[in-house]
Each structure stands twice: as structure tokens, then as C-alpha cells.
Amino acid sequence: MRTAFYISDGTAITSEVFGHALLSLFPVEFNHNTIPFVETEEEAQKVLEQISESFQDTGERPLVFYTIVNVDIRKIISKSVGINYNFLDQFVAPLEKVLGVPSKPEKHRTHSIHETTYDIRIEAVNYALANDDGSNLKDYDEADIILTGVSRSGKTPTSLYLALQFGIKAANYPFTEEDMGDMLKLPPALRRYKNKLFGLTIQPERLHQIRSERRANSKYASMQQCRMELREVENLYRKEKIPFLNSTKYSIEEISAKILAETGLKRRKY
């Protein structure tokens, strides 16, 4: 198994995201190591030792992805025995030419870029938590979107991701076994918010697997129950012309991106 390091004098989120995106293109398994806040030369030397130890243990040079603003620390990391990729170097020089302005590196500046949206995202997360699983219907007027679906179809994590990453106020409403007796029309709590609804569904085999981990050998987790609930809910989506997505083969990030693309919702900035 190859080893990959993601290193930064900040959070290392940028190097990790870029590195993972690149490595996902290759059918190779990796041992991932993220090392944030390498802020002194002593810490940088310790990182070099970790990279060297990995090389000695595996006999293969690790891949080293890094985004480091501090010049002295960057020089140290660049001397590693790994195969080094400095993401900033790849983009800074071309951008300086395009913008006609020299870069002025400043540690942790990326956090300040998002400062104006920070409070919005926290507010959206609090909203998602307060309006999870149909627990609070009185605040639906504030919702940017209301996710619907059967239990364990991905509503809660998607709501929280939309809130945390995009500042979108996402409520979610579960269709329960009690709803199944009258699935020819929307529940009263949702009718006036039909234009905000977005449905999630999932393959019955996957739903059965997820529910069995939660409540094994129960009616709730049975394949028959899963098939029935999904059939009823998908019929409702089609009848009411509610947009919906099968979440089975997608990550939360992909589900959220597809929802934004289909609904036209944008990242909230103000």
C-alpha cells in the first residue's frame, strides 16, 4: 500500500482535499497521513523524519502534498525523500501574471476569506439540528429546502452538510410507517411547503443493510418493509412532481452538489 502525506502550516484541509481528489483517480490503495499546523522548523524536521520512516518501512517513496506559506518551513519539507507536490507553487505564479499583482502570503488567511459567512453557516447548522427528523415544524417558513424520505435514507447528514458547507437552512422530514397508509397525498405539514421539498430515496437492499445494523431482525429492517416504504414514497414523489435523488451510490458531498445543481440553491453569503 502506498503512503500519502498531506502537510500544512494551517489546517491542511486544502492539501488533503486536493490530494484526495487526485488520488481518487487511481485504482490504488493509500495509507493517508494528514499533518496540520507545522509552524516551526523543529516541527518540520519531525515531519521529515516521519516521511523517511515511511520510506524505510515500505521501500516506496511516499507522496507528499503540501500547502505551506512560511518559506523556511516550505524549504525544509521540499527536501523530503518523498515525491513532493507543492500545490501553491502550481497556481501562484500563473495567478500573479493574470491578476498583475504579486502574492503576499499570510498564514491562516484562508479562514478570514470565509469570515463573513461563518456566522451564517453556524446559524444554518443550528437550524438543521433544531429541525431534524420532523421534530420542529413551526420553523419551516425559514427553510431554504426541506429534505424528505424514509428513515435512514441520508436526510440528516445531507442537511448538516448543506448547512456547514453552504450556509443553507435545510430541514428534513421523515416518512414513517404511519404515513404509509395515506401516501396518495402529501402530509398536511408539508403541503404549503411543496416548493421547498426535495426527496431522497435509496435502493431497498442498501436500506435493509443500514436498518439491520440499527435494529436487526425487526419489521423496520425487513426487506419487505423497506421495499414497501420506498415504493410508496417514490410513487408520491412522482405524483406530486417532487424532485428526488437515489442516494445509494453517492457520498454526502455528491448528494449535496446534485441537490444544489437541481434546485438552483446557492451558497449563502449575507
Side-chain angles (χ1 to χ4, degrees):
M1 181 183 296
R2 297 296 296 262
T3 299
F5 286 87
Y6 311 97
I7 304 165
S8 176
D9 49 2
T11 63
I13 291 174
T14 301
S15 58
E16 190 177 56
V17 169
F18 268 88
H20 281 193
L22 288 172
L23 297 184
S24 70
L25 301 175
F26 302 92
V28 178
E29 289 190 22
F30 289 90
N31 176 29
H32 302 280
N33 294 276
T34 301
I35 308 177
F37 302 114
V38 181
E39 299 181 292
T40 67
E41 295 184 23
E42 291 76 13
E43 290 170 340
Q45 291 293 346
K46 290 180 181 178
V47 171
L48 286 192
E49 292 174 11
Q50 287 182 250
I51 297 171
S52 295
E53 288 173 4
S54 174
F55 180 33
Q56 292 169 8
D57 291 342
T58 65
E60 292 186 290
R61 295 171 65 193
L63 305 180
V64 180
F65 302 99
Y66 60 98
T67 52
I68 296 174
V69 172
N70 183 290
V71 175
D72 294 328
I73 295 175
R74 189 165 67 235
K75 286 180 180 179
I76 293 173
I77 298 300
S78 70
K79 296 177 182 178
S80 85
V81 297
I83 302 171
N84 303 311
Y85 300 94
N86 178 1
F87 284 129
L88 294 183
D89 274 356
Q90 301 298 317
F91 300 103
V92 171
L95 276 173
E96 286 177 333
K97 290 183 179 180
V98 170
L99 298 175
V101 178
S103 61
K104 295 182 179 180
E106 182 178 323
K107 192 167 58 175
H108 307 317
R109 181 181 285 171
T110 52
H111 175 72
S112 65
I113 289 174
H114 301 289
E115 199 70 43
T116 57
T117 67
Y118 182 78
D119 290 342
I120 289 173
R121 289 187 287 127
I122 294 302
E123 180 185 356
V125 169
N126 288 333
Y127 178 87
L129 292 171
N131 292 273
D132 180 44
D133 225 19
S135 59
N136 182 20
L137 309 180
K138 63 183 178 64
D139 293 332
Y140 278 9
D141 284 335
E142 298 179 33
D144 296 311
I145 190 171
I146 303 170
L147 301 181
T148 62
V150 302
S151 172
R152 316 309 290 179
S153 57
K155 301 181 302 300
T156 295
T158 303
S159 297
L160 288 170
Y161 188 85
L162 287 169
L164 185 60
Q165 295 297 321
F166 302 101
I168 289 172
K169 288 187 175 181
N172 74 79
Y173 182 94
F175 291 120
T176 64
E177 185 177 1
E178 289 72 27
D179 293 315
M180 296 303 146
D182 189 22
M183 290 298 283
L184 297 177
K185 56 186 177 182
L186 282 171
L190 297 181
R191 288 174 193 164
R192 60 179 292 202
Y193 302 108
K194 182 178 175 180
N195 64 320
K196 296 184 178 185
L197 300 182
F198 192 98
L200 292 180
T201 187
I202 188 172
Q203 289 179 357
E205 294 79 10
R206 178 58 179 152
L207 183 61
H208 167 65
Q209 179 186 10
I210 294 171
R211 288 185 173 184
S212 294
E213 293 171 358
R214 184 181 177 90
R215 288 164 52 185
N217 302 316
S218 64
K219 178 183 176 182
Y220 165 80
S222 70
M223 182 63 77
Q224 180 180 1
Q225 182 71 18
C226 292
R227 289 186 187 280
M228 182 274 290
E229 290 185 20
L230 291 169
R231 181 178 63 250
E232 293 293 319
V233 167
E234 290 178 16
N235 285 340
L236 177 69
Y237 292 156
R238 295 185 182 97
K239 181 177 182 296
E240 295 286 349
K241 295 182 172 56
I242 296 169
F244 68 97
L245 172 70
N246 189 313
S247 64
T248 306
K249 296 182 180 180
Y250 298 116
S251 66
I252 296 302
E253 295 87 345
E254 290 170 320
I255 294 169
S256 300
K258 287 179 177 292
I259 288 173
L260 296 183
E262 186 154 347
T263 62
L265 286 172
K266 304 293 184 183
R267 185 189 303 273
R268 292 179 66 215
K269 299 179 181 179
Y270 308 104

